[in-house]
Amino acid sequence: MEIPLGTLISVGGAEDKGTQAEPNFSPKNDLAFFETGILKRIISEMKGVDSYIEVITTASAIPEEVGELYISAFGKLGCHNIGVIHIKTRDDAHSTDYEERVRKADGVMFTGGNQLRLTMILGGTDFLKIIMDRYMNEDFVVAGTSAGAMAMSNTMIYQGSSQGALLKGEVKITTGLGFMRDVIFDSHFVTRGRFGRLAQAVASNPGCIGVGLGEDTGVVVKRGNEMEAIGSGLILIFDGHEIRHSNLADLEEGEPISIENLIVHVMAKGNFYYVNERKFYVDQLTAIS
C-alpha cells in the first residue's frame, strides 16, 4: 500500500485555544499553550509561524463563529496566514476558489461538529481529492479535531450513545474521508465515556485499530503508521486482532454484546503506537531501536 508523505494530526476535541490562562500566569505566559499545546504542534509540523493554514468548518453548525475562534487561536501563536473555508453544501465544495486555496496551503484543519455532515458534503468531491493527493504525495498536514478527527479514517463512527453502546446495533458506522486505513477514531473519549462504543466498533471490525482520543489530546501520524501521542490527556488503543470470542453476529438488535481478549493500551504524551505492527512504544527512541 502507498505510504503517504504527509502528516495526519487527529485531535479528540476541546484543544487548548489560549482562551484561559493557567493559574498564576498571564495569557502571554501560558506555557502549555504557547510552547507545548496541540495547535502549536500543528504549526510546527508545517512551516512554523509562516504557515498558510486553511480551516475547514463544514462539520460545524456555527461555522463563522468557529472560524473566528481558530483565527484568534493561531494568531496568538504568531501564525496569521489563516484562511477559513465555509463549505456548507455540495455545491459549495465545487468552488474552484476553494480548490485553489487548498492547493496553495501548507495544511488544513477540519473543525468539530457533525462528522456525517462532513463526509456527506465532501465525499467524492474534487476538493477532497486535492487534499488527499497533497497528503499522499507532498509534505502536507491534514489536521482535524472532534468530528474532524473521527472522519479521518476510512471506517467512521457516526452515531452511538455512551449508555447503550454495548448493545448490538447502537453504534452506527459508515465510510469516512479515508486519510488512514484500518483505524477507527473516536473523540471526547474519556469525558463522554465512549469506551463501549469503540469496543463495539472494533469488535465488528476486528481488522481495525480503535483510537480513543481524550480532550486536548491527539496523535501525530507519520507515514500512515507511526502514531505519537500529544496533548494533556489520555489515548486508548483497542486492538481486536486477537479477539477469540464475540457474540455480536448471533445477537438480536438491542441485546448486550460480549468480547473476549480485546487488547487495550493506554497512551500519554510522548508514547508511540505503530499501527501496522500493532506495537506500543514508551518513546521514540524505543520505537526506532
Side-chain angles (χ1 to χ4, degrees):
M1 188 176 66
E2 188 179 359
I3 298 173
L5 299 181
T7 299
L8 199 68
I9 304 177
S10 185
V11 182
E15 66 280 359
D16 186 358
K17 300 179 183 69
T19 54
Q20 292 181 335
E22 294 176 340
N24 303 319
F25 285 91
S26 66
K28 68 179 181 179
N29 290 320
D30 185 351
L31 298 182
F33 174 69
F34 285 96
E35 295 189 8
T36 62
I38 286 175
L39 297 185
K40 176 71 172 181
R41 180 62 182 269
I42 290 173
I43 293 172
S44 299
E45 290 292 335
M46 299 183 200
K47 296 178 179 176
V49 295
D50 295 323
S51 301
Y52 168 25
I53 305 171
E54 286 288 356
V55 176
I56 302 169
T57 62
T58 303
S60 178
I62 48 170
E64 287 80 11
E65 180 179 332
V66 168
E68 288 299 320
L69 191 60
Y70 280 101
I71 289 173
S72 173
F74 283 120
K76 291 172 185 176
L77 294 168
C79 184
H80 300 286
N81 195 8
I82 308 297
V84 180
I85 294 179
H86 297 309
I87 295 178
K88 301 178 182 179
T89 66
R90 286 188 66 84
D91 283 342
D92 291 344
H94 296 300
S95 164
T96 55
D97 174 60
Y98 290 157
E99 291 174 1
E100 189 61 26
R101 284 167 61 177
V102 294
R103 283 192 179 100
K104 293 179 178 178
D106 298 306
V108 296
M109 174 84 179
F110 291 98
T111 70
N114 182 335
Q115 59 269 30
L116 190 59
R117 174 178 170 81
L118 187 57
T119 58
M120 289 180 66
I121 291 176
L122 297 185
T125 62
D126 287 342
F127 179 82
L128 180 60
K129 290 175 184 175
I130 291 166
I131 296 173
M132 178 67 75
D133 181 70
R134 296 204 62 197
Y135 168 66
M136 293 301 298
N137 298 296
E138 302 178 36
D139 183 13
F140 185 76
V141 174
V142 177
T145 183
S146 189
M150 293 184 66
M152 285 186 167
S153 58
N154 60 335
T155 305
M156 181 186 81
I157 298 171
Y158 73 91
Q159 185 176 314
S161 69
S162 300
Q163 292 84 354
L166 285 173
L167 303 178
K168 181 178 179 178
E170 287 295 313
V171 179
K172 310 297 184 184
I173 294 174
T174 189
T175 303
L177 298 179
F179 292 105
M180 192 171 182
R181 296 177 58 86
D182 301 329
V183 164
I184 304 172
F185 289 111
D186 206 347
S187 62
H188 303 280
F189 195 73
V190 178
T191 305
R192 300 186 186 178
R194 289 177 167 172
F195 187 102
R197 81 173 191 175
L198 188 56
Q200 181 170 165
V202 171
S204 61
N205 296 271
C208 291
I209 296 293
V211 182
L213 301 163
E215 293 184 349
D216 191 41
T217 308
V219 289
V220 176
V221 185
K222 302 284 190 178
R223 289 169 282 279
N225 177 44
E226 303 157 15
M227 295 195 308
E228 176 193 353
I230 61 173
S232 63
L234 299 176
I235 299 163
L236 272 72
I237 302 292
F238 289 15
D239 180 357
H241 286 78
E242 303 298 329
I243 289 176
R244 288 196 285 264
H245 162 78
S246 172
N247 65 349
L248 194 57
D250 302 319
L251 297 175
E252 298 293 330
E253 293 286 311
E255 292 185 328
I257 69 172
S258 66
I259 309 166
E260 179 191 6
N261 211 46
L262 176 65
I263 298 171
V264 179
H265 305 284
V266 181
M267 299 174 67
K269 182 180 178 181
N271 294 152
F272 282 74
Y273 186 83
Y274 283 23
V275 175
N276 296 340
E277 295 83 355
R278 306 197 305 277
K279 291 280 289 183
F280 174 97
Y281 297 100
V282 174
D283 52 33
Q284 188 174 29
L285 183 60
T286 308
I288 63 176
S289 62

